[in-house]
Amino acid sequence: MLRWLLAAALLSPAAGFYLPGLAPVSFCEPGKDQVPDCKSSIELFVNRLDSVESVLPYEYTAFDFCSKESKNRPSENLGQVLFGERIESSPYKFEFKKPVACEKVCTQTYDTNKPSDKAKLDFLKKGMLLNYQHHWIVDNMPVTWCYDVEDGQKFCNPGFPIGCFVTEAGRPKDACVVNSNFNEKDAFYIFNHVDITIHYHIVEHEQLGARLVAAKIEPKSFENPGEDGQACSGGPKFLRNKQSGVFEIPYTYSVNFVEDRNIRWASRWDYILESMPHTNIQWFSIMNSLVIVLFLSGMVAMILLRTLHKDIARYNQMDSVEDAQEEFGWKLVHGDVFRPPRKGMLLSVFLGSGTQIFIMTFVTLFFACLGFLSPANRGALMTCAVVLWVLLGAPAGYVAARLYRSFGGEKWKTNVLLTAFLCPGVVFADFFVMNLILWGEGSSAAMPFGTLVAILALWFCISVPLTFIGAYFGFKKAGIEHPVRTNQIPRQVPEQSFYTKPLPGIIMGGILPFGCIFIQLFFILNSIWSHQMYYMFGFLFLVFIILVITCSEATILLCYFHLCAEDYHWQWRSFLTSGFTAVYFLVYAIHYFFSKLQITGLASTILYFGYTMIMALIFFLFTGSIGFFACFWFVTKIYSVVKVD
């Protein structure tokens, strides 16, 4: 029967579906576009320009390039706005399968005697000096600049430079190394011409038309634009650093079309992702890291379970009063282990926010694994995370209220207000200060005032009421019942050895969780600050699961050692033990800044560390909450199976 069902399932026609905004578009030659849903004109969109030497992205129009008079800006989602993406239509227009040779777009003229023109030209020079990159889009695909790197491999960069600079000593910087004619000292070379090659795939056995599968570009520099369809000619266009007077920059482009029968529309991003550096290293390193972490986790679990099993068996065999008086180890503190911690209000608030972040991260990564949040769906990852955070106010309020009540707290109004405003308020205050710096620098990443008001509305009108509702149910529900009673008089904690003191344990506890994420962390930081695409969400989700397991096991192991040393203050320690992973993250981010990045300028440095502090706080709450709940489950479990008089 099962065989027949399988055969029927395989033979039945399957209907696929496309995500909104990601469906393929068919293109036809001019004159043949009467076919329904078949376009002949190809539109090129321009995005914000960014640089690896600066955190400040700028809009396309900030550099005074050729722009379209009637701007048809596509709608941007919240994630795109937060990341500073500003997509707008461009004056570059062409028809499908209609080649263009050295088509003139416009000529920009600058007179250095005019202050406004001089300011524009200086800003363009600054862009070339800091190696700012264009990001163009055709048919929702990045226009890529492919060039040869070491070992005969080809790297396809989803961006290309404005221009480049040759120093006074004659040393070419950045893209100036690609052309030996760029040899004028102390001069800026402008890439004022682009050769665009559109690769298309003709759809067979389906509707008529073709689908675009790649758009590649080669930036060039020409002194003279071609006339009447002639090819561009002359040497490269350069601007001396101290040049004065009138200066003209003609902008031109050429377009060619190439049929590609090997690349299908569904796999058109592959050539970009496969050419990215360190992809093979990443696969090997992640697998190596996972094997080590799984091995260590197995060792920790085995030792813990075997030792615990012996302890419980020994404690439960003690029948006589004399045996009971000779109790030792973790059973001795059964009357104090559930004593409410100091600063229980703050701990419960942190745990509520940590729960909110944990669920948000899990759901976001799960959707990313399914392909809903791929790089093709721009801004979807950040939008999903923000919306989930807003909607998860109820679990935060519920967890904070329930734990605060179990700690014996009575100031429920203060608890719910702190849960709703403390951690989100710190993040928003940091973000607002960063936004003021971006506003001051005129960057496209500066969030518009309307979007800022919209985010505040989401927080105050949705997240805060949901937090209040969650807290209401948390306080209404009966407190958590502990398996053992708490003594009225606290037991004195004996003198601890160096290894069982709080600080060494907390510092040691963060090493193992950090060890399983630092390789992924390198690629995540690369995607944020070096503008590389991140697409390995399957591995990231696997590392997320491993991180949860490692945080839990490391905290439980150290918690067990401290209980054996008769130290029952486990609540804050369990939170800080795994939360200390965030300190290692912060140290790694500082190391990454000085060793890997080329960021210059005070504003960019402040922005880097400002945003890093937000990430470290979120990571601290997330990992700390994992450690606390793992330890809480462990302590409840071991004291519920041992006999206590």
Side-chain angles (χ1 to χ4, degrees), residues 389-390 428 449-465:
W389 178 84
V390 168
F428 184 80
F449 182 73
T451 311
L452 211 58
V453 171
I455 284 181
L456 283 172
L458 286 172
W459 179 17
F460 283 99
C461 301
I462 300 175
S463 183
V464 172

Side-chain angles (χ1 to χ4, degrees), residues 217-419:
I217 202 163
E218 191 176 346
K220 292 181 178 178
S221 183
F222 288 116
E223 181 70 38
N224 303 314
E227 298 292 336
D228 301 324
Q230 297 296 314
C232 295
S233 61
K237 184 76 177 174
F238 66 88
L239 165 67
R240 289 187 179 86
N241 195 14
K242 295 171 184 174
Q243 187 166 328
S244 59
V246 179
F247 184 74
E248 289 187 347
I249 306 175
Y251 288 96
T252 56
Y253 70 100
S254 301
V255 183
N256 284 304
F257 291 86
V258 176
E259 184 180 352
D260 196 322
R261 299 187 179 187
N262 299 320
I263 304 174
R264 302 277 174 179
W265 184 87
S267 58
R268 63 182 187 158
W269 284 75
D270 289 3
Y271 83 97
I272 305 172
L273 305 178
E274 286 168 4
S275 76
M276 287 178 69
H278 312 303
T279 307
N280 294 331
I281 298 168
Q282 184 173 357
W283 280 80
F284 174 75
S285 300
I286 292 170
M287 290 307 296
N288 189 38
S289 176
L290 291 178
V291 167
I292 292 167
V293 170
L294 284 170
F295 174 73
L296 288 171
S297 301
M299 291 291 287
V300 168
M302 189 175 71
I303 292 165
L304 208 57
L305 290 172
R306 286 186 64 184
T307 312
L308 263 178
H309 186 72
K310 286 180 183 176
D311 285 350
I312 292 164
R314 186 170 69 249
Y315 289 147
N316 288 340
Q317 285 169 2
M318 291 180 180
D319 296 326
S320 63
V321 178
E322 290 81 8
D323 287 343
Q325 286 174 350
E326 292 174 8
E327 283 180 1
F328 61 92
W330 54 267
K331 192 184 177 186
L332 269 176
V333 293
H334 66 80
D336 298 275
V337 77
F338 290 107
R339 191 174 298 283
R342 300 186 194 97
K343 308 284 184 189
M345 170 80 80
L346 189 62
L347 180 60
S348 63
V349 168
F350 281 174
L351 291 167
S353 295
T355 306
Q356 188 177 12
I357 293 162
F358 174 80
I359 301 169
M360 176 198 79
T361 310
F362 179 83
V363 176
T364 304
L365 287 178
F366 182 73
F367 279 123
C369 283
L370 297 177
F372 289 100
L373 310 177
S374 71
N377 201 353
R378 298 169 196 281
L381 189 76
M382 195 66 179
T383 307
C384 178
V386 171
V387 170
L388 280 170
W389 178 84
V390 168
L391 297 176
L392 289 166
Y398 178 82
V399 168
R402 191 91 200 279
L403 287 168
Y404 182 62
R405 189 173 178 189
S406 75
F407 294 158
E410 294 176 356
K411 297 177 182 176
W412 62 272
K413 290 177 184 175
T414 311
N415 180 263
V416 69
L417 285 169
L418 283 174
T419 307

Side-chain angles (χ1 to χ4, degrees), residues 73 101 111 203 212 232 250 256 303 322 330 340 349-350 352 357 376 415 426 442 446 467 514 527 570-571 584 603 626:
R73 177 171 281 188
D111 186 352
V203 183
L212 308 188
C232 295
N256 284 304
I303 292 165
E322 290 81 8
W330 54 267
V349 168
F350 281 174
I357 293 162
N415 180 263
V426 170
T467 307
F514 179 75
S527 72
W570 61 270
Q571 290 97 335
Y584 289 110
I626 294 167

Side-chain angles (χ1 to χ4, degrees), residues 138 175 184 229 380 403 444 463 561 591:
V138 167
E184 186 74 24
L403 287 168
S444 71
S463 183
F561 290 148
H591 162 74

Side-chain angles (χ1 to χ4, degrees), residues 145-173:
W145 176 36
C146 297
Y147 52 88
D148 294 322
V149 288
E150 64 271 4
D151 301 329
Q153 293 182 329
K154 195 175 278 289
F155 173 59
C156 291
N157 184 12
F160 65 95
I162 299 173
C164 57
F165 179 61
V166 177
T167 62
E168 287 185 50
R171 187 174 63 85
K173 281 187 69 183

